[in-house]
DNA sequence: GAGCACTGC
């Protein structure tokens, strides 16, 4: 296994980065009895945040914005909303909102709080995430929700007038929607001086957060009645315990094997306690689990190995929270999802970090191990790497994202001057201009950069990327809205294919059964059709390597809601927008035109193709087509002549039609187009004459 | 021949 500095041999160096010593938590609240014996009320009083109850309420009373700095584990997320309610902030029909970046966190925190308050979830305490509104207009006083949902609520209620206090939790994560929300909340404060904001943030971000909310407003700033404008900052200590950090002595070559062997040696050498392993993705998780379980005899007995990633059905995710049986050791093998949402209350957690994450993220992960008792953190990289190679913080999503959705959301909320918008982390003007250009070319904003009517407002209403929304609008003109909505639903889930290690060949074969010469979008329609014809059978999915959990609607409450439910939601929205639900009865040309109408900016032309073989395919296709199989067709985007290739997961891989449109790009060693459809270049000038001048797309002889 | 995670009326 990898070699770590071990306790007892040579004192491990617990140096952190320049912030220093972050991992030495105060252990002043050592409750050896732990959870389980005390009443819920006693437990609440034992949380570190309890000491600050009066101070928090005072600051919220007297300041428009209060920034709470605290390590996770202080209890701030569950307690502060309750304190606020106890202090009367939810009286007179008002509500307290608490946002989270992730759905899982919303659900778990809401259910914990309702339990503590002794009320039924959905009554006084409720939550809202996409597809799940567990609130009651009459009763709900504390509402947990994702920040994305709160942004959507602003479309109907721009001042968020039903909330008296809005707590934005995990603001240091700087997720895209958190940052948009913070920018908008700052604006709302000017119109609603009585609104209170509580921003919870980790140490490093607190100052910049404060100066963001402190920035002088223009115009009237004379002292009026009401709360002080400059933000208050309160630091709440964590409940954490010592976490010892061990670094690999040498870089590991295979981090999955290194992680597995570290788990095994922890199991052999360490006393009771669960293990949490961070890996990069589902593939690695499956591989690690296979390695851990394949020879589970002998010493590995007693290990309960559980995967955790977002694609997992909720019931499987819940297994992670169940108590570990006596004499067993739980090993949770997880993606980032566990970095912030998860507190395992069972016993202490060991933690392995494997990817070049930021130092802040590494610290966050290590903190997972010290929640209920002292823990250990094994980092599968060297200390030198940590000190010298890893960046201090991740880049805010705002500064590395496509801003098309962001811009249209702001437009829909009446923010006209996008370039002058006061962001917590300003995106580059170039990125904003790029987004404005795309929206202009889609015809959803006009020459004055105002939303067009009705297209602009319709696109803003649909909770999808504007290019997908435009595709749906166009499907109305082409009489194929049913098909295009299905495509949109499939494109918005991670993958409809069931992939696991060792079954790649079977998956490829299954794909061929549905593969359409036109490309991936049409292939999706074939899969969906087969799924519906099977009566939405899980057995059918299994046989065809289709991921049942990606397709099925949530008739079992805890299943993730996917293609079916998104499709139903989009059909409802379409009807509301006046789009006729209509099938084109197999005419795939109109479907491809509708796709083109949304994604014309992603058009590419084949530059080089080495044809090797020809073969007749495909039984699902209405017409038999000859497809040329070749290797690594080099494409160039029409817009910017960027070199791109068809991703090997596409049905058009090695088929290489002359003209294609892609849905998205993944950048690895090359730029790969994922989800590709073939088009006729004349459609480009047809659907986007302003974007493509005729001479640009004249096909060159190949 | 293959990069990840998260989110949304």
């Amino acid at each position: 296994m990898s070699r770590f500095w071990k306790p007892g041999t040579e004192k491990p160096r617990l140096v952190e980065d320049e912030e220093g010593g972050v991992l030495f938590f105060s252990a002043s609240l050592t409750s050896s009895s732990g959870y389980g014996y005390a009443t819920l009320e006693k437990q609440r009083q034992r949380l570190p945040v309890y000491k600050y109850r009066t101070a928090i309420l005072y600051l919220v009373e007297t300041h428009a914005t209060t920034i709470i700095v605290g390590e996770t584990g202080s209890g701030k997320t569950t307690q502060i909303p309750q304190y606020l309610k106890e202090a009367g902030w939810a009286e007179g029909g008002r509500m307290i909102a608490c946002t989270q970046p992730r759905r899982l966190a919303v659900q778990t925190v809401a259910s914990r709080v309702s339990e503590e308050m002794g009320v039924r979830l959905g009554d006084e305490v409720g939550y809202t995430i996409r597809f799940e509104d567990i609130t009651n207009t009459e009763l709900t006083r504390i509402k947990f929700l994702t920040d994305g949902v709160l942004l959507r609520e602003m479309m109907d209620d721009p001042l968020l007038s039903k909330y008296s206090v809005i707590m934005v939790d995990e603001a240091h994560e700087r997720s895209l929607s958190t940052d948009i929300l913070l920018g908008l909340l700052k604006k709302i404060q000017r119109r609603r001086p009585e609104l209170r904001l509580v921003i919870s943030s980790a140490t490093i971000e607190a100052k910049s957060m404060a100066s963001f909310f402190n920035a002088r407003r223009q115009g009237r700033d004379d002292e009026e009645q009401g709360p002080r404008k400059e933000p208050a900052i309160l630091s709440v200590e964590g409940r954490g315990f010592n976490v010892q950090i061990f670094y690999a002595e040498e870089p590991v070559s295979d981090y999955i094997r290194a992680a597995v062997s570290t788990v095994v040696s922890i199991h052999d050498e360490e006393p009771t306690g669960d293990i949490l392993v961070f890996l990069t993705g589902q593939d690695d998780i499956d591989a690690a689990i296979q390695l851990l379980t394949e020879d589970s005899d002998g010493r590995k007995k007693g290990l309960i190995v559980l995967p955790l990633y977002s694609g997992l059905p909720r019931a499987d995710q819940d297994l992670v929270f169940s108590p570990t049986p006596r004499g067993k050791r739980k090993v949770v093998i997880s993606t980032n999802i566990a970095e912030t949402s998860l507190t395992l209350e069972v016993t202490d957690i060991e933690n392995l970090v494997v990817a070049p994450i930021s130092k802040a993220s590494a610290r966050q992960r290590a903190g997972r191990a010290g929640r209920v008792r002292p823990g250990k953190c094994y980092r599968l990289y060297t200390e030198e790497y940590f000190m010298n190679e890893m960046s201090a913080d991740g880049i805010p999503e705002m500064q590395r994202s496509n801003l098309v959705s962001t811009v249209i959301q702001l437009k829909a909320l009446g923010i006209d001057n996008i370039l002058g918008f006061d962001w917590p982390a300003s995106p580059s003007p170039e990125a904003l201009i790029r987004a404005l250009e795309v929206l202009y070319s889609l015809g959803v904003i006009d020459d004055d950069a105002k939303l067009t009517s009705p297209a602009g407002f319709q696109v803003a209403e649909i909770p999808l990327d504007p290019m997908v929304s435009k595709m749906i609008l166009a499907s109305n003109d082409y009489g194929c809205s049913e098909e295009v909505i299905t495509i949109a639903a499939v494109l918005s889930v991670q993958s409809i294919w069931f992939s696991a290690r060792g079954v790649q060949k079977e998956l490829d074969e299954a794909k061929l059964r549905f593969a359409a010469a036109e490309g991936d979008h049409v292939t999706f329609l074939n899969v969906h059709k087969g799924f519906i014809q099977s009566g939405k059978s899980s057995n059918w999915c299994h046989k065809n390597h289709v991921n049942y959990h990606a397709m099925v609607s949530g008739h079992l409450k805890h299943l993730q809601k996917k293609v079916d439910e998104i499709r139903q939601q989009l059909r409802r929205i379409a009807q509301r927008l006046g789009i006729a639900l209509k099938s084109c009865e197999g005419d795939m040309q109109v479907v491809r035109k509708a796709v083109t109408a949304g994604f014309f900016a992603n058009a590419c032309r084949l530059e080089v193709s080495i044809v090797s073989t020809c073969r007749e395919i495909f039984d699902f296709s209405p017409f038999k087509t000859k497809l040329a199989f070749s290797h690594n067709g080099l494409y160039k985007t029409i817009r910017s002549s960027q070199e791109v290739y068809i991703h090997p997961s596409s049905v058009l891989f090695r088929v290489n039609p002359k003209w294609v449109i892609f849905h998205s790009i993944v950048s690895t060693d090359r730029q790969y187009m994922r989800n590709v459809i073939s088009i006729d270049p004349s459609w480009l000038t047809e659907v986007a004459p302003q974007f493509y001048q005729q001479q640009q797309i004249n096909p060159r002889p190949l």
Side-chain angles (χ1 to χ4, degrees):
Chain A
M1 71 168 276
S2 325
R3 298 179 57 211
F4 296 95
W5 282 313
K6 291 249 163 69
T9 53
E10 187 187 336
K11 196 174 181 286
R13 292 165 60 198
L14 292 166
V15 280
E16 264 285 339
D17 56 337
E18 62 279 3
E19 257 81 43
V22 180
L23 291 158
F24 282 111
F25 296 108
S26 140
S28 56
L29 287 148
T30 29
S31 51
S32 53
S33 61
Y35 276 62
Y37 299 108
T39 62
L40 281 171
E41 191 52 36
K42 282 262 169 55
Q43 285 185 22
R44 289 188 60 198
Q45 292 178 9
R46 238 183 239 161
L47 288 164
V49 71
Y50 183 73
K51 282 192 289 191
Y52 303 92
R53 188 180 183 279
T54 317
I56 291 168
L57 289 174
Y58 172 77
L59 291 176
V60 171
E61 183 68 40
T62 51
H63 293 73
T65 306
T66 304
I67 294 165
I68 309 278
V69 177
E71 307 298 334
T72 38
S74 58
K76 56 187 162 46
T77 309
T78 54
Q79 301 309 302
I80 292 175
Q82 293 186 68
Y83 298 163
L84 292 168
K85 176 170 174 296
E86 289 155 10
W89 285 96
E91 278 161 23
R94 299 175 301 170
M95 274 200 283
I96 296 157
C98 177
T99 73
Q100 298 289 323
R102 274 172 298 281
R103 296 157 46 120
L104 182 63
V106 169
Q107 289 172 311
T108 48
V109 171
S111 78
R112 174 71 193 177
V113 170
S114 72
E115 191 188 323
E116 286 185 10
M117 287 172 58
V119 299
R120 212 178 56 165
L121 187 60
D123 290 350
E124 219 172 327
V125 178
Y127 71 87
T128 308
I129 57 181
R130 193 184 188 186
F131 302 128
E132 247 187 295
D133 183 9
I134 313 293
T135 61
N136 178 317
T137 347
E138 310 282 303
L139 295 176
T140 302
R141 302 274 67 93
I142 300 178
K143 176 164 157 185
F144 293 90
L145 67 177
T146 50
D147 32 31
V149 168
L150 192 60
L151 279 177
R152 282 282 160 186
E153 285 191 3
M154 290 182 73
M155 291 216 178
D156 293 326
D157 180 10
L159 294 180
L160 297 172
S161 52
K162 55 188 173 199
Y163 300 108
S164 58
V165 187
I166 295 170
M167 174 169 172
V168 180
D169 205 7
E170 313 283 5
H172 57 273
E173 282 192 33
R174 313 309 303 270
S175 82
L176 192 55
S177 38
T178 306
D179 272 4
I180 303 169
L181 188 62
L182 291 172
L184 289 164
L185 288 173
K186 183 178 170 181
K187 279 179 95 80
I188 290 179
Q189 277 184 321
R190 294 166 63 180
R191 303 272 297 278
R192 284 189 60 199
E194 82 284 4
L195 174 70
R196 298 297 195 277
L197 301 182
V198 177
I199 316 278
S200 122
S201 175
T203 325
I204 322 160
E205 298 280 350
K207 269 189 194 152
S208 67
M209 206 65 81
S211 63
F212 172 68
F213 277 97
N214 202 24
R216 284 269 150 193
R217 293 151 188 82
Q218 283 147 12
R220 58 193 185 94
D221 204 33
D222 38 275
E223 281 306 316
E224 313 155 28
Q225 297 278 16
R228 298 174 60 168
K229 301 281 194 287
E230 71 272 28
I233 301 185
L234 178 71
S235 201
V236 176
E237 75 191 73
R239 166 209 255 290
F241 299 88
N242 252 351
V243 176
Q244 275 185 289
I245 308 280
F246 304 96
Y247 289 97
E249 287 182 345
E250 286 164 18
V252 303
S253 53
D254 178 343
Y255 63 78
I256 297 176
R257 286 191 179 276
V260 166
S261 68
T262 305
V263 166
V264 170
S265 77
I266 290 169
H267 187 47
D268 288 345
E269 291 161 24
E270 296 286 331
T272 325
D274 291 343
I275 303 174
L276 175 61
V277 182
F278 285 103
L279 294 181
T280 53
Q282 193 180 334
D283 279 0
D284 285 358
I285 290 172
D286 293 342
I289 287 177
Q290 209 180 341
L291 281 174
L292 266 173
T293 49
E294 63 190 1
D295 50 347
S296 66
D297 44 21
R299 60 192 178 152
K300 270 166 250 161
K301 252 201 188 128
L303 278 184
I304 302 170
V305 184
L306 299 171
L308 182 67
Y309 48 85
S310 76
L312 215 57
R314 186 68 204 281
D316 291 353
Q317 292 187 11
D318 287 346
L319 282 180
V320 166
F321 295 93
S322 63
T324 309
R326 229 184 146 67
K328 303 269 185 183
R329 190 196 299 271
K330 187 154 65 183
V331 184
V332 176
I333 308 206
S334 172
T335 59
N336 267 338
I337 191 175
E339 205 168 286
T340 47
S341 324
L342 181 71
T343 307
L344 294 173
E345 289 193 343
V346 275
T347 163
D348 77 352
I349 302 161
E350 321 264 0
N351 175 353
L352 305 164
V353 180
V354 290
I357 46 174
S358 69
K359 286 178 184 167
S361 186
R363 202 178 301 120
Q364 174 91 358
R365 290 179 173 188
R368 294 283 103 183
R371 295 294 294 271
V372 287
R373 67 164 82 155
K376 292 176 183 172
C377 167
Y378 297 80
R379 291 180 169 160
L380 297 182
Y381 43 84
T382 63
E383 185 185 21
E384 196 207 355
Y385 182 83
F386 177 84
M387 299 295 279
N388 302 330
E389 305 289 328
M390 278 164 61
S391 67
D393 280 292
I395 303 164
E397 207 180 353
M398 182 66 77
Q399 291 166 355
R400 55 180 167 86
S401 298
N402 177 325
L403 298 173
V404 173
S405 291
T406 304
V407 169
I408 197 162
Q409 247 176 327
L410 292 176
K411 289 278 174 197
L413 293 167
I415 312 291
D416 287 328
N417 182 7
I418 300 288
L419 290 167
F421 187 71
D422 195 3
W423 314 80
S426 291
S428 73
E430 293 77 19
L432 283 170
I433 288 164
R434 248 196 324 270
L436 287 165
E437 280 169 359
V438 172
L439 291 171
Y440 181 75
S441 74
L442 287 170
V444 302
I445 59 173
D446 60 20
D447 290 336
D448 301 323
K450 292 229 194 304
L451 282 191
T452 56
S453 183
F457 287 94
Q458 289 174 318
V459 164
E461 188 94 350
I462 303 173
L464 296 171
D465 182 283
M467 286 156 85
V468 183
S469 306
K470 178 67 194 294
M471 169 179 97
I472 292 174
L473 287 191
S475 73
N476 194 33
D477 305 330
Y478 291 112
C480 54
S481 57
E482 291 282 14
E483 284 80 4
V484 167
I485 283 172
T486 300
I487 289 170
V490 173
L491 286 171
S492 51
V493 304
Q494 241 176 346
S495 172
I496 58 166
W497 301 110
F498 188 87
S499 61
R501 256 163 205 257
V503 298
Q504 190 55 52
K505 201 162 155 261
E506 289 93 321
L507 173 57
D508 285 349
E509 284 165 12
K511 269 189 193 176
L512 274 182
R513 289 200 284 277
F514 302 98
E518 295 93 338
D520 296 302
H521 302 63
V522 179
T523 302
F524 293 150
L525 288 177
N526 291 338
V527 174
H528 187 256
K529 197 170 161 192
F531 177 64
I532 297 297
Q533 281 170 352
S534 78
K536 303 187 182 177
S537 144
S538 65
N539 194 30
W540 181 92
C541 286
H542 185 74
K543 277 195 298 204
N544 290 293
H545 282 262
V546 170
N547 184 357
Y548 179 66
H549 296 300
M551 301 296 287
V552 78
S553 147
H555 57 275
L556 292 174
K557 201 155 188 303
H558 41 263
L559 283 182
Q560 298 246 333
K561 293 152 193 181
K562 296 292 168 122
V563 171
D564 233 29
E565 186 132 17
I566 294 172
R567 199 169 149 270
Q568 297 309 337
Q569 182 194 23
L570 294 177
R571 291 174 89 237
R572 282 196 301 276
I573 293 171
Q575 280 182 300
R576 205 176 60 216
L577 296 177
I579 294 171
L581 296 175
K582 191 170 174 302
S583 165
C584 57
E585 311 295 346
D587 178 1
M588 287 304 124
Q589 175 148 330
V590 289
V591 170
R592 289 153 74 205
K593 279 192 179 182
V595 173
T596 309
F599 286 87
F600 53 83
N602 292 354
C604 301
R605 180 174 51 201
L606 183 66
E607 297 284 314
V608 184
S609 171
I610 310 147
V611 179
S612 54
T613 51
C614 268
R615 211 171 96 189
E616 293 232 343
I617 57 168
F618 291 111
D619 30 1
F620 243 101
S621 210
F623 43 88
K624 291 258 177 191
T625 317
K626 283 208 169 172
L627 294 177
F629 279 72
S630 62
H631 294 282
N632 293 338
L634 165 65
Y635 286 81
K636 283 192 175 167
T637 60
I638 308 302
R639 189 158 53 147
S640 56
S641 292
Q642 239 193 315
E643 290 192 1
V644 290
Y645 299 84
I646 294 180
H647 194 279
S649 66
S650 169
V651 297
L652 295 184
F653 178 64
R654 286 209 265 258
V655 176
N656 298 333
K658 273 186 189 167
W659 291 87
V660 296
I661 277 180
F662 61 84
H663 177 257
S664 61
I665 291 276
V666 287
S667 304
T668 52
D669 54 328
R670 286 174 174 178
Q671 312 287 111
Y672 285 104
M673 303 184 266
R674 209 152 48 178
N675 295 325
V676 184
I677 190 165
S678 75
I679 58 155
D680 183 318
S682 69
W683 301 343
L684 294 173
T685 43
E686 185 182 323
V687 300
Q690 75 286 9
F691 197 80
Y692 288 109
Q693 290 150 16
Q694 190 62 48
Q695 72 274 16
Q696 276 183 284
I697 58 162
N698 277 340
R700 268 194 311 169
L702 285 164

